[in-house]
Amino acid sequence: MTSTGNPLAIYLHIPFCHIKCTYCAFNTYTNLDHLVEPFVRALIREIEFSAASKPGQHAGTVFFGGGTPTVLSPEQYARIMNALRRGFYLQDDAEVSLEVNPSDVTQAYLTALRDVGFTRISIGMQSAIESELRMFNRRHDNDSVVRAVSAARRAGFDNLNLDVIYGIPHQTLDNWDATLRQMLALKPDHVSLYALTLEDETSMKAWVEKGRLPAPDDDLAADMYDMATDQLGGAGYGQYEISNWAKPGRECRHNLQYWRSLPYIGLGPGAHGFADGVRYSVILSPHRYIKTLEEASESPGVYPRTPVTAEATLLRPADEMVEVLLMGLRLTQEGIHRETFRQRFGVDVLEAHGDVIRKYADHGLLHVDDSYVRITHAGRLLSSMIFRELV
Ligand code: SF4
């Protein structure tokens, strides 16, 4: 267990991709296939450093994200999982997730991952419309999503997420409706819907700035969000976070750890972690990450730091409070439990941030009662404005 009494969540970042998608600003690199095996060895060393700096920790979730985690073989995952089991008490019912590119997976690959201990698959569907997938420079088509879902089910995965994106240039409500219907026809256990954001240094942003693509239309995106909310609710999915819906009991435990501001460690180039009040990030460059771990001395760092920690900040309680608010308000059903907040910080959330909370409650964007502060349906569409003001 951690100092909060909660098991740890462990995120591992796999920083390789076959090609760069036009909207993507994640820390990923193409044409580094020759670094995959040295990276796996380095990641195992980082796991060992992290575990040695605070022995005996329990972990309830493990999440491999990227990047494209499917560039690693089942044998490489077996070695990484063994290192995690040596270093941490991985709970028997641990949720172990992998992000999957639909065109990369076969039933044999996914069956091997099940044998290694994976319990949950997250498939990057993104859209059912071929022209939108081409605009994103995605390598897959709609048929490969269907095949990936079928392969995952046959491999025994009963916890499957689909990611899709809305608010895409040129996307119409009819196109979005088609993507939603196709997504629901695949019967995922969980869905994540992301509004497209134009990130710096992406092709998509450059095209919009040069006028080659129209800018995303916020009003249309809001209509798409409403349409999705209706369809998902009608299909039996419960919304539990601004961008996430699940069948009962299929909420993503790993991401809930983030939204509840509970401890997690991040391993791999560019990963972030938050544990023992310290927020930290790992160095970005895979080359430097590997070299640093190859040359690191045996002595563990001061938890949660490792030899590849780039930055670490001990959060002041006031900063941690804001973090808890920003993350907790994303949880549409849970929200902020006022008593839990008071126990954590010794102050009621309305004493700490009453001005902003009361203002948005008066506008109908937040709901406050004796026990909780929650975001309303109207507030979900304007959450970034509320979050900016809290910061
Ligand atoms: S596959 Fe994922 S991580 Fe890789 S470039 Fe595309 S969106 Fe980014």
Side-chain angles (χ1 to χ4, degrees):
M1 295 288 166
T2 66
S3 54
T4 59
N6 290 88
L8 196 61
I10 302 176
Y11 173 79
L12 301 100
H13 189 76
I14 312 298
F16 307 109
C17 282
H18 299 293
I19 50 175
K20 191 77 179 173
C21 300
T22 55
Y23 58 94
C24 177
F26 295 138
N27 184 44
T28 70
Y29 303 82
T30 55
N31 301 315
L32 290 185
D33 292 357
H34 60 290
L35 285 188
V36 171
E37 176 52 31
F39 162 76
V40 170
R41 289 197 296 269
L43 185 62
I44 289 170
R45 283 216 80 191
E46 192 189 8
I47 291 167
E48 290 166 353
F49 274 113
S50 180
S53 64
K54 189 168 182 178
Q57 291 206 83
H58 289 243
T61 70
V62 177
F63 193 106
F64 290 87
T68 304
T70 41
V71 300
L72 268 60
S73 68
E75 183 271 333
Q76 288 168 322
Y77 277 118
R79 284 154 53 206
I80 295 168
M81 289 300 296
N82 283 340
L84 287 170
R85 290 194 180 97
R86 281 195 305 273
F88 300 89
Y89 291 107
L90 204 55
Q91 293 183 331
D92 290 344
D93 68 343
E95 177 191 271
V96 183
S97 302
L98 183 88
E99 285 179 347
V100 161
N101 190 321
S103 52
D104 288 349
V105 289
T106 61
Q107 187 184 342
Y109 180 85
L110 294 173
T111 301
L113 291 186
R114 286 276 301 158
D115 293 344
V116 166
F118 283 86
T119 64
R120 184 175 184 274
I121 287 288
S122 176
I123 299 177
M125 172 180 172
Q126 317 311 1
S127 168
I129 306 296
E130 301 300 328
S131 61
E132 293 171 0
L133 292 171
R134 280 198 300 278
M135 188 196 305
F136 287 156
N137 202 26
R138 297 291 303 196
R139 290 181 301 128
H140 70 270
D141 57 15
N142 203 29
D143 288 347
S144 45
V145 177
V146 175
R147 281 196 300 272
V149 170
S150 164
R153 293 303 194 196
R154 278 182 280 123
F157 283 97
D158 61 0
N159 197 353
L160 183 150
N161 171 61
L162 292 176
D163 279 345
V164 291
I165 300 176
Y166 65 98
I168 304 166
H170 294 307
Q171 189 179 30
T172 61
L173 281 174
D174 282 348
N175 283 353
W176 176 233
D177 184 48
T179 290
L180 287 173
R181 286 178 193 283
Q182 171 65 11
M183 181 188 76
L184 289 173
L186 294 170
K187 298 188 171 20
D189 306 287
H190 184 285
V191 298
S192 301
L193 311 183
Y194 297 110
L196 180 73
T197 50
L198 296 176
E199 303 287 348
D200 288 342
E201 295 176 26
T202 58
S203 305
M204 187 80 80
K205 183 164 187 183
W207 293 338
V208 170
E209 284 173 349
K210 287 180 186 147
R212 285 176 54 192
L213 276 182
D217 177 336
D218 289 346
D219 291 337
L220 185 58
D223 290 344
M224 291 177 180
Y225 186 82
D226 280 340
M227 179 190 268
T229 303
D230 288 347
Q231 290 196 17
L232 287 163
Y237 292 85
Q239 183 172 15
Y240 69 105
E241 197 268 347
I242 287 176
S243 308
N244 287 276
W245 285 255
K247 291 282 185 180
R250 289 295 187 225
E251 296 81 8
C252 176
R253 285 165 48 196
H254 183 83
N255 287 343
L256 278 170
Q257 187 97 351
Y258 299 153
W259 297 317
R260 289 171 177 158
S261 297
L262 295 171
Y264 61 94
I265 56 170
L267 306 167
H272 292 256
F274 172 65
D276 281 10
V278 175
R279 186 162 53 199
Y280 70 93
S281 61
V282 179
I283 57 179
L284 292 169
S285 154
H287 284 100
R288 225 157 50 78
Y289 171 85
I290 292 166
K291 189 163 188 294
T292 304
L293 283 160
E294 283 173 351
E295 295 172 354
S297 71
E298 289 306 315
S299 56
V302 178
Y303 183 80
R305 300 163 188 81
T306 73
V308 281
T309 300
E311 287 179 15
T313 311
L314 181 62
L315 285 193
R316 297 176 306 141
D319 295 331
E320 198 171 324
M321 253 187 240
V322 171
E323 192 105 356
V324 167
L325 269 173
L326 296 183
M327 298 309 268
L329 285 176
R330 297 191 63 89
L331 291 169
T332 51
Q333 292 177 25
E334 262 180 55
I336 306 290
H337 184 234
R338 292 174 66 177
E339 180 56 23
T340 305
F341 188 96
R342 201 188 57 72
Q343 285 172 10
R344 185 160 174 171
F345 297 109
V347 61
D348 183 78
V349 64
L350 285 187
E351 276 176 58
H353 287 279
D355 291 354
V356 177
I357 291 171
R358 285 195 192 90
K359 172 177 151 186
Y360 285 110
D362 288 346
H363 285 89
L365 305 183
L366 294 176
H367 174 80
V368 182
D369 61 29
D370 290 346
S371 302
Y372 290 95
V373 179
R374 293 193 185 98
I375 201 154
T376 62
H377 182 77
R380 290 170 208 175
L381 292 168
L382 297 167
S383 56
S384 49
M385 179 180 73
I386 303 171
F387 296 161
R388 266 199 305 277
E389 196 154 338
L390 283 167
V391 173

